[in-house]
Amino acid sequence: MSSAALEISGEHTPLVFEDIDFQYISLLDRERIIRDAIQIWKRMIDKDDKQCKVTHDVYLKLYQLTKPKLVGYHCIMVDEAQDCNSAMLDIVLTQSAPIILVGDPNQQIYGFRGATNALQNAPFSHTYYLTKSFRFGPEIAYIASCCLEYLRRYTKETLVGNTKPSYINGKVEGQYAVIARSNSELLDQVIRLCCTKQRRSFEPQEIHGAFAGGIQSYALDQILDILNLHGKAYAEK
C-alpha cells in the first residue's frame, strides 16, 4: 500500500524469506502471495466486509489511486519529506503547482513502513541546506556533526547550533525530558518521578507532570478496569 503502483504485481513480493536464513521464494509461492494479497485488498476496500480490519494506509492508497488534482494552490509544501512513502510522493509530484520538500534524511524513522526519502528520490531544480539549528548550542551541534560524519559519511554540510550554551556532560537546566519506547514505560517514569519521589541525582527535585491532550484521552479508567479484573482472576486462582 505504500507503493505508487496502480495494482499488485510481482514487484511487491519478497524474493527471500528473511526469517528463514534468507531462502529464495519460488515463483509459484510468489504467485500465491500475489493472489492472496489481491483477495485481502478486495476485502479491505469492501465497505460491507466488517471482519477485515484496515489501517490508515488503506484510505491513503485509495486516495492516491483516484489521481487527485489539488487546484487553487500557489505552492505545495511538504514537511518531514524524508518519511514520505511512494504513494504520498506520487500524490504530490503529479500536481501542477510548484513543490517545496523540507526534511532531513538523517531523521528518517519510518523506513519500516515504506518511507523512501523523497529528498533523494524526487526530481528537483534547487537544493538549499538548512544547517543552523535553533534547538541547541554549538557543543551539541559539534557532537551531532561528528556522529553524522562517522556513522553516515555525511560531510556535505556542517551542522551548527545557536548562540546559547549547551551541555554534553549531563548538566540539567530548565525542562527535563524522558524518552521512552512504549507508553507503559512512560507511565512507569511518570509514577516514579511524580508519585514515588524516586529521583536520580541529576533529575530536578520538583517535577510537575501533564498529559498532552488531557488525561481523559488516555483511557486510564479502562486500564484500571483491566488491572482490577486481572487482580480478581489472580485472587480466584
Side-chain angles (χ1 to χ4, degrees):
M1 287 182 288
S2 62
S3 77
L6 300 180
E7 58 185 18
I8 300 174
S9 64
E11 66 177 293
H12 303 115
T13 60
L15 297 177
V16 296
F17 290 107
E18 295 184 2
D19 297 334
I20 313 178
D21 297 329
F22 289 91
Q23 294 181 9
Y24 281 99
I25 301 176
S26 67
L27 180 60
L28 180 61
D29 286 336
R30 293 181 65 193
E31 291 175 348
R32 290 173 179 169
I33 293 174
I34 294 173
R35 288 198 300 268
D36 290 344
I38 292 175
Q39 291 301 318
I40 293 173
W41 173 251
K42 288 180 178 179
R43 292 192 60 186
M44 282 183 170
I45 62 177
D46 183 358
K47 293 184 292 185
D48 296 325
D49 191 332
K50 306 300 182 182
Q51 294 183 333
C52 188
K53 306 299 182 181
V54 302
T55 64
H56 299 300
D57 296 320
V58 173
Y59 49 79
L60 173 63
K61 182 63 181 180
L62 287 173
Y63 181 66
Q64 179 250 332
L65 291 175
T66 65
K67 296 295 181 182
K69 294 299 179 182
L70 305 178
V71 297
Y73 297 95
H74 298 292
C75 179
I76 298 175
M77 301 182 66
V78 180
D79 195 12
E80 305 291 355
Q82 76 278 354
D83 286 324
C84 284
N85 59 35
S86 297
M88 298 177 186
L89 196 57
D90 182 68
I91 295 173
V92 174
L93 296 182
T94 54
Q95 308 306 318
S96 58
I99 300 169
I100 299 177
L101 303 177
V102 181
D104 181 0
N106 295 303
Q107 296 186 43
Q108 186 178 24
I109 59 175
Y110 287 106
F112 69 97
R113 296 194 61 203
T116 58
N117 185 13
L119 298 173
Q120 184 178 18
N121 298 326
F124 51 84
S125 59
H126 296 79
T127 301
Y128 300 96
Y129 292 95
L130 305 177
T131 59
K132 184 173 182 178
S133 173
F134 294 91
R135 295 181 176 178
F136 44 75
E139 294 84 359
I140 294 178
Y142 173 74
I143 295 296
S145 295
C146 290
C147 291
L148 291 176
E149 181 176 352
Y150 179 77
L151 298 175
R152 304 293 297 272
R153 300 295 186 265
Y154 191 81
T155 59
K156 292 182 179 180
E157 300 292 334
T158 301
L159 181 66
V160 297
N162 55 34
T163 57
K164 296 181 180 179
S166 56
Y167 304 94
I168 58 176
N169 58 357
K171 184 175 181 179
V172 177
E173 286 187 357
Q175 295 180 337
Y176 176 73
V178 175
I179 301 176
R181 289 186 175 271
S182 64
N183 288 335
S184 60
E185 173 62 22
L186 194 60
L187 286 172
D188 285 342
Q189 293 299 322
V190 171
I191 293 172
R192 180 181 66 82
L193 292 170
C194 298
C195 300
T196 64
K197 309 299 183 182
Q198 297 177 359
R199 302 191 181 102
R200 302 181 180 95
S201 59
F202 58 85
E203 293 175 335
Q205 294 303 307
E206 184 176 355
I207 296 178
H208 302 279
F211 289 84
I215 194 171
Q216 293 79 8
S217 62
Y218 288 80
L220 295 181
D221 54 337
Q222 298 179 17
I223 298 177
L224 183 60
D225 288 342
I226 295 174
L227 178 63
N228 291 332
L229 289 172
H230 177 75
K232 181 179 180 181
Y234 183 80
E236 290 176 350
K237 289 182 179 181

